[in-house]
Amino acid sequence: QSALTQPASVSGSPGQSITISCTGTSSDVGGYNYVSWYQQHPGKAPKLMIYDVSNRPSGVSNRFSGSKSGNTASLTISGLQAEDEGDYYCSSYTSNNTLLFGGGTRLTVL
Amino acid sequence: QLQLQESGPGVVKPSETLSLTCTVSGGSISSSSYYWGWIRQPPGKGLEWIGSIYYSGSTYYNPSLKSRVTISVDTSKNHFSLKLSSVTAADTAVFYCARLGVRLHLGEVIFGTLLDWGQGILVAGSS
């Protein structure tokens, strides 16, 4: 199974909004509303930011939002802050009863 | 508050078997509301799902690793384990254990979200 497709890097200035895409197929992203997004800072374990496409866990800022259209899911971060810098990964349940990750996106806050 | 802690050797010789344990505290591994799983991350690279297990013992594995992986659960000790056989240098990675949420999809209990993660343990396949 191939990894979900994410851009290698995105950047934005403080206060701006950015969007990270996550493209799969009808057997994963397009077939299930079980897409999640994780934030990872250097040397740390990933942290859940969005689950089931668009739901935020308790304690996650409402600056983070998720959506999906067809086989592509998206994570949008509004009002960028320096602390948002890090790596972001999407994941999706698949029709093969597996979990598939995206390759990861490095977010740089300029 | 749920905590997960990975334990095991930091170095495994090539061709040998990597064995890790994830001890769960602050919650029961026997809950029907969660799956438990392993994820790895080679240095400087992305995340790779290894496999997941339900408290009943049902397992699902990454097809690319399936022939070498065994995940088991010990409800009496509230922990679950990973064995990866025939290790090579390419298996060098930080290994994370995690708790996964479940969903009911067309009558079947499936897993989706990695809700909580352990801190990770670096394991090197090296002589």
Side-chain angles (χ1 to χ4, degrees):
Chain A
Q1 50 184 17
S2 300
L4 304 174
T5 301
Q6 296 182 235
S9 63
V10 298
S11 62
S13 300
Q16 287 186 331
S17 294
I18 63 95
T19 296
I20 300 172
S21 61
C22 171
T23 301
T25 70
S26 57
S27 296
D28 39 69
V29 174
Y32 303 88
N33 287 325
Y34 304 136
V35 176
S36 303
W37 290 90
Y38 305 90
Q39 176 193 65
Q40 186 179 34
H41 290 134
K44 300 294 187 182
K47 173 188 174 185
L48 177 65
M49 305 302 284
I50 295 287
Y51 68 96
D52 293 355
V53 175
S54 60
N55 293 293
R56 269 189 318 276
S58 174
V60 171
S61 170
N62 59 9
R63 296 185 300 104
F64 291 82
S65 62
S67 62
K68 189 183 85 167
S69 178
N71 295 337
T72 298
S74 299
L75 171 71
T76 298
I77 309 174
S78 59
L80 265 182
Q81 299 179 1
E83 66 206 48
D84 299 332
E85 190 163 282
D87 295 325
Y88 289 82
Y89 295 90
C90 62
S91 75
S92 175
Y93 181 78
T94 84
S95 60
N96 294 322
N97 297 315
T98 63
L99 201 63
L100 197 54
F101 282 104
T105 298
R106 174 70 53 90
L107 169 61
T108 301
V109 181
L110 303 170
Chain B
Q1 183 178 346
L2 186 90
Q3 289 190 320
L4 303 106
Q5 180 68 58
E6 305 88 351
S7 60
V11 179
V12 178
K13 289 185 170 61
S15 81
E16 295 192 345
T17 296
L18 176 159
S19 295
L20 296 175
T21 295
C22 181
T23 300
V24 179
S25 57
S28 173
I29 204 167
S30 299
S31 170
S32 60
S33 299
Y34 305 103
Y35 266 82
W36 307 89
W38 290 95
I39 301 93
R40 71 178 181 176
Q41 184 173 35
K45 296 188 177 181
L47 301 168
E48 180 180 37
W49 174 76
I50 298 172
S52 299
I53 188 166
Y54 203 36
Y55 75 100
S56 61
S58 295
T59 52
Y60 295 93
Y61 299 130
N62 186 323
S64 69
L65 298 170
K66 187 173 184 177
S67 64
R68 299 196 290 135
V69 171
T70 302
I71 297 176
S72 58
V73 63
D74 188 332
T75 54
S76 67
K77 296 181 179 177
N78 218 42
H79 74 208
F80 60 105
S81 301
L82 168 70
K83 290 188 185 299
L84 178 67
S85 64
S86 304
V87 162
T88 70
D91 293 310
T92 295
V94 175
F95 286 77
Y96 296 99
C97 62
R99 180 173 70 163
L100 295 87
V102 301
R103 292 290 182 268
L104 192 61
H105 186 82
L106 300 178
E108 184 181 355
V109 176
I110 66 173
F111 50 87
T113 303
L114 295 147
L115 298 169
D116 304 282
W117 298 65
Q119 65 183 25
I121 182 170
L122 176 62
V123 182
S126 173
S127 53

